[in-house]
Amino acid sequence: MMTNVDSVSNVQLAPVFLSNRVPFEKTGCLQHREKQLYHNRRICNGKKVNYHFVECDFVDCIFDEINLSKISFERCAFKNISLTNCCLEDIRFYGCKIENIICTATQLAEMLWQQTDLTLALWDKCRVEGMLMHNVHFHKLNLAAVTLSQWMANSVHLTACEMQGGSLYDANWYDCHLENCQWHGVDIRRQVMGNSHLDAVNYHQIGGNNYVWHNCRLNQVNLSALVLNLCSFHRSELIECELAKTVLLSGIFTEARLTNCQCPQADFSAAQAETVNFTDCNLQQTIFNRSRLTGSKFDNCNLSMADFSYAQMCEATVRHCQLNAINMQHTRTYAGKDQLSAIAPQDEDKILRAIDHWYARHQPGARENPLFAALPSGVSRYV
């Protein structure tokens, strides 16, 4: 029979399943439940601690103003679950399936999700501190005014997720896939993504700092009109991304690849962009002031009215690009290739050219055949 101590009531009295008679005992020792069905249950008030559920089903259950801690679910199924004004701590899901869960004004701490599928979830005005996920699939996750911190995701597939307002602090993503996700008005601080794929992800009016995408693939990601100072796209690939009017001061783009990206009026000032490949990109009025573009390549890009003043473009390549009204004031273009060698100022890097000329005449070894022109030694690159 059910006890009044647990404040458990059956909303539907008939039929009564035998497993539905099993109450949540209030004891200090670990309670083990296996292959039980909890249907039309309403659990409110009190505190439940130390439970282990294995292959149990929870259907049409309501949790109201209850504290749950140190509870693990293994290969369990959840459907139509509602939590309101609850406090969950040290809750673990292993191989579970969850469908249609609503959390309202609920606090969650030290949550663990492993090999779990979550479909159709709504979190409203919740506070989450400590979320660890491994090999998890989230589908249609809606977060409204939620405060998230210490978010750690490994091999997580997130589809059709939308977060409006709230904050996301200390979020770490590795080997994850985000698809058709929306972030609106979210304060994101210290986000690190590694070896992850982003498809059709929209960042709109977000704030914060410290954004890192390392060795990631961003396809049709909207980052336009954002302030992303000191961000990092090291070794990442950006395809058909929107970066119009985005501020990327002192960003790190080393060994990145940008293909068919829209970056008009973007600000790459003081960026570290060595050996970056820009292909079929719109870079109109883009600012590269004092950027390090050594060894970078611009192929079939629109560089009209771009500003490369004081930039380091040694050994860079500009090929088949539009160069109307381009600013090359005090730009270092030594050993530049193709179009860059034609538009580069001729009086720059006199010292480096003199060093190469001296070594060409005095380098050790056999004398060269005077009938053939000597190749540049390139020794000034090591000076």
Side-chain angles (χ1 to χ4, degrees):
M1 295 180 62
M2 304 190 184
T3 61
N4 294 328
V5 177
D6 289 315
S7 300
V8 178
S9 61
N10 235 345
V11 179
Q12 182 179 356
L13 298 178
V16 179
F17 297 97
L18 178 62
S19 58
N20 204 28
R21 297 176 177 271
V22 180
F24 289 93
E25 286 90 347
K26 188 175 181 180
T27 61
C29 58
L30 178 64
Q31 301 294 314
H32 184 81
R33 299 285 182 267
E34 185 172 355
K35 295 182 179 179
Q36 302 292 331
L37 172 63
Y38 300 91
H39 182 249
N40 279 350
R41 302 291 293 269
R42 182 180 181 89
I43 305 172
C44 58
N45 302 324
K47 182 177 182 180
K48 313 301 174 188
V49 184
N50 291 332
Y51 281 90
H52 183 206
F53 296 92
V54 179
E55 297 182 0
C56 295
D57 293 336
F58 298 81
V59 181
D60 298 327
C61 294
I62 299 175
F63 298 84
D64 190 8
E65 296 184 355
I66 188 170
N67 294 343
L68 305 175
S69 63
K70 297 182 180 179
I71 299 179
S72 62
F73 300 93
E74 185 176 350
R75 300 189 302 278
C76 295
F78 301 81
K79 187 174 183 179
N80 301 332
I81 307 298
S82 175
L83 297 98
T84 305
N85 295 320
C86 297
C87 182
L88 282 66
E89 183 178 2
D90 193 9
I91 308 298
R92 308 187 175 208
F93 299 91
Y94 302 95
C96 297
K97 293 185 180 296
I98 305 173
E99 182 180 355
N100 191 18
I101 180 171
I102 300 176
C103 297
T104 305
T106 296
Q107 297 185 10
L108 302 93
E110 299 181 14
M111 305 289 293
L112 173 64
W113 310 72
Q114 186 169 350
Q115 297 179 353
T116 295
D117 293 339
L118 176 62
T119 304
L120 196 59
L122 171 62
W123 294 359
D124 185 18
K125 299 181 179 64
C126 296
R127 183 181 182 89
V128 183
E129 296 183 0
M131 184 82 74
L132 178 60
M133 294 155 288
H134 175 67
N135 197 10
V136 176
H137 185 188
F138 288 130
H139 180 61
K140 291 186 178 180
L141 178 62
N142 195 330
L143 308 176
V146 174
T147 301
L148 290 171
S149 61
Q150 299 179 10
W151 172 285
M152 291 171 285
N154 182 20
S155 299
V156 172
H157 191 182
L158 190 65
T159 59
C161 172
E162 183 174 359
M163 184 173 184
Q164 296 183 349
S167 60
L168 178 60
Y169 296 165
D170 300 301
N172 295 275
W173 308 76
Y174 182 79
D175 192 25
C176 296
H177 187 187
L178 283 69
E179 185 178 0
N180 294 323
C181 296
Q182 309 285 330
W183 312 96
H184 296 280
V186 183
D187 186 19
I188 302 178
R189 299 179 185 270
R190 297 177 297 276
Q191 171 195 271
V192 179
M193 287 190 177
N195 291 52
S196 298
H197 290 188
L198 288 78
D199 292 317
V201 177
N202 182 18
Y203 292 87
H204 182 66
Q205 294 182 349
I206 65 170
N209 51 37
N210 296 341
Y211 307 98
V212 175
W213 291 272
H214 175 72
N215 198 27
C216 294
R217 186 178 187 272
L218 289 76
N219 183 29
Q220 297 181 353
V221 175
N222 185 8
L223 296 168
S224 59
L226 300 178
V227 179
L228 303 177
N229 295 334
L230 301 172
C231 67
S232 176
F233 290 90
H234 184 215
R235 292 184 178 178
S236 293
E237 182 178 7
L238 288 75
I239 303 174
E240 297 183 3
C241 293
E242 294 287 341
L243 291 165
K245 298 182 179 180
T246 301
V247 181
L248 302 152
L249 297 178
S250 302
I252 300 175
F253 292 85
T254 305
E255 300 181 41
R257 299 180 302 278
L258 286 78
T259 304
N260 200 17
C261 293
Q262 299 297 317
C263 311
Q265 302 182 30
D267 192 349
F268 290 85
S269 295
Q272 298 182 31
E274 296 89 346
T275 62
V276 176
N277 291 340
F278 295 90
T279 306
D280 298 322
C281 293
N282 181 6
L283 299 170
Q284 284 183 302
Q285 301 182 27
T286 301
I287 302 174
F288 290 97
N289 178 263
R290 300 185 186 278
S291 295
R292 298 181 61 87
L293 296 163
T294 305
S296 294
K297 296 181 179 179
F298 296 84
D299 193 355
N300 199 28
C301 296
N302 187 349
L303 296 173
S304 299
M305 293 180 285
D307 183 6
F308 289 93
S309 57
Y310 297 93
Q312 301 282 343
M313 299 187 69
C314 297
E315 303 178 30
T317 302
V318 178
R319 184 186 297 114
H320 308 304
C321 294
Q322 300 180 32
L323 304 173
N324 301 327
I326 189 172
N327 185 0
M328 299 289 291
Q329 183 180 6
H330 299 290
T331 304
R332 301 192 65 182
T333 58
Y334 181 73
K337 300 178 180 64
D338 293 340
Q339 288 177 286
L340 185 60
S341 61
I343 64 174
Q346 299 299 322
D347 58 345
E348 297 294 330
D349 297 322
K350 292 182 179 180
I351 296 178
L352 297 181
R353 289 190 175 89
I355 292 173
D356 276 347
H357 181 70
W358 188 90
Y359 270 92
R361 297 185 59 185
H362 299 89
Q363 60 183 342
R367 293 183 178 274
E368 297 182 359
N369 190 340
L371 298 178
F372 300 95
L375 296 175
S377 65
V379 70
S380 59
R381 304 172 191 174
Y382 306 97
V383 176

